[in-house]
Amino acid sequence: MNMTKKRVLITGAAGFLGSHLCDRFIQEGYHVIGMDNLLTGNMKNIEHLFPLPSFEFYHHDVTKFVHVPGELDYILHFASPASPIDYLKMPIQTLKVGSLGTHNLLGLAKAKKARILVASTSEVYGDPLVHPQTEEYWGNVNPVGPRGVYDEAKRFMESITMAYHNFHGVETRIIRIFNTYGPRMRLDDGRALPAFMSQALTGQDLTVFGDGSQTRSFCYVDDLVEGIYRLLLSDYHLPVNIGNPSEISLLEFAEEIISLTGTQQKIIFQPLPKDDPKQRKPDITKAKELLGWEPKVSRQEGLKITYQYFKEALHK
């Protein structure tokens, strides 16, 4: 093994974001150790990396003790169910990976003197009362609502990460990720974009919850990965929003998907799920100032690539 390469551990490596991070770090010349328990991840996302000498994979659940032999320079903690369908189905695993999993990885970072970046979420803002959301906003979360298992797991993750930073001097980074999309998302993921695309591709009507006036801001995965990479290598330890501030209502978004796919479906309306956020838009002032980062890929461009991916995935 080439000992001169910096070594990075990526948890949730077989997931949507984790697999793109594995690609990026290998491209940047790192030795990548991927870890996943495959609860929601898929080996197909990383099978192209297995022949590479600079990639190794551990099938492991980070809520159990995590051991990685040898030196480690960086840890990126991306293990967690991330779509409402998954975390409503696996509420306890979601809470455990955010709490016990984060605790184990912070312990590993401390032991290895590695820098750790944890993947938090815009969901820490809950159903926000301020718009757009800045990092200083404390959020409006229902801890006992159905979504609380994800929101509170991530809020706890941020707290314990700061505690390790302040008490043990561990080098930590916290990213708050807003809606992201792109190839390797699961069609049955349950979030707006894959749901609309799979409905359009299979000839079903598109389901909009509520009146469709709730907004989301969609960031293409390559832009997000660039933001993560820059934040990891920066010297800033407080949370940073990474997302695309271009906001769109879900009704307009459904119409965009229909025109992109050239399908003739109708839009049908269903009741809004409990505690569903009405608005989502990141304030990315910090990312611009600290990291020189902002999204580059337009929604039009990103959706085309993603649609192509979903079309091929459906026929496999």
Side-chain angles (χ1 to χ4, degrees), residues 122-134:
S122 60
E123 297 298 326
V124 298
Y125 301 124
D127 187 1
L129 303 174
V130 305
H131 194 73
Q133 294 81 53
T134 68

Side-chain angles (χ1 to χ4, degrees), residues 8-28:
V8 56
L9 168 67
I10 299 175
T11 73
F16 164 48
L17 292 179
S19 64
H20 284 283
L21 285 166
C22 289
D23 288 346
R24 174 66 188 262
F25 278 85
I26 279 171
Q27 193 189 319
E28 297 285 351

Side-chain angles (χ1 to χ4, degrees), residues 28-104:
E28 297 285 351
Y30 289 78
H31 182 88
V32 174
I33 301 147
M35 188 174 280
D36 206 303
N37 65 351
L38 303 177
L39 199 60
T40 59
N42 187 336
M43 288 298 253
K44 280 200 189 96
N45 291 335
I46 49 172
E47 62 189 2
H48 62 286
L49 301 175
F50 279 86
L52 304 178
S54 53
F55 182 74
E56 53 185 304
F57 180 74
Y58 288 76
H59 182 200
H60 181 71
D61 179 345
V62 296
T63 66
K64 317 256 186 324
F65 178 77
V66 179
H67 172 67
V68 175
E71 286 182 16
L72 262 189
D73 296 283
Y74 300 114
I75 298 169
L76 288 96
H77 180 26
F78 278 72
S80 176
S83 80
I85 278 191
D86 291 335
Y87 57 72
L88 296 176
K89 210 165 48 188
M90 298 178 271
I92 292 160
Q93 288 99 323
T94 302
L95 283 158
K96 282 171 74 175
V97 75
S99 54
L100 304 176
T102 306
H103 187 208
N104 287 337

Side-chain angles (χ1 to χ4, degrees), residues 221-271:
V221 64
D222 291 1
D223 282 335
L224 186 89
V225 165
E226 177 65 29
I228 293 165
Y229 189 75
R230 290 188 188 197
L231 179 60
L232 177 72
L233 300 181
S234 77
D235 54 8
Y236 188 75
H237 70 277
L238 292 170
V240 178
N241 289 338
I242 299 282
N244 192 324
S246 163
E247 189 183 14
I248 185 172
S249 80
L250 283 181
L251 183 57
E252 289 170 292
F253 188 56
E255 286 160 356
E256 262 185 25
I257 300 282
I258 287 175
S259 80
L260 168 76
T261 55
T263 43
Q264 302 304 313
Q265 279 92 329
K266 298 196 300 291
I267 292 172
I268 53 174
F269 295 89
Q270 298 217 338

Side-chain angles (χ1 to χ4, degrees), residues 68-201:
V68 175
E71 286 182 16
L72 262 189
D73 296 283
Y74 300 114
I75 298 169
L76 288 96
H77 180 26
F78 278 72
S80 176
S83 80
I85 278 191
D86 291 335
Y87 57 72
L88 296 176
K89 210 165 48 188
M90 298 178 271
I92 292 160
Q93 288 99 323
T94 302
L95 283 158
K96 282 171 74 175
V97 75
S99 54
L100 304 176
T102 306
H103 187 208
N104 287 337
L105 291 159
L106 285 161
L108 181 66
K110 178 174 173 264
K112 300 281 188 187
K113 299 189 168 37
R115 179 180 299 179
I116 180 170
L117 179 146
V118 298
S120 186
T121 169
S122 60
E123 297 298 326
V124 298
Y125 301 124
D127 187 1
L129 303 174
V130 305
H131 194 73
Q133 294 81 53
T134 68
E135 289 86 351
E136 286 67 39
Y137 177 53
W138 293 352
N140 174 39
V141 170
N142 174 3
V144 294
R147 300 172 74 101
V149 297
Y150 184 66
D151 304 0
E152 296 294 2
K154 294 295 193 182
R155 286 162 74 96
F156 176 84
M157 170 198 261
E158 291 194 9
S159 295
I160 192 170
T161 299
M162 285 306 292
Y164 264 77
H165 173 82
N166 293 326
F167 189 76
H168 289 306
V170 173
E171 278 200 51
T172 58
R173 304 289 179 266
I174 300 171
I175 180 173
R176 289 183 182 156
I177 298 171
F178 282 69
N179 294 66
T180 303
Y181 70 97
R184 301 186 195 152
M185 274 191 116
R186 296 202 332 259
L187 270 169
D188 62 352
D189 164 305
R191 287 179 274 196
L193 188 143
F196 288 164
M197 287 222 170
S198 62
Q199 287 168 335
L201 283 164

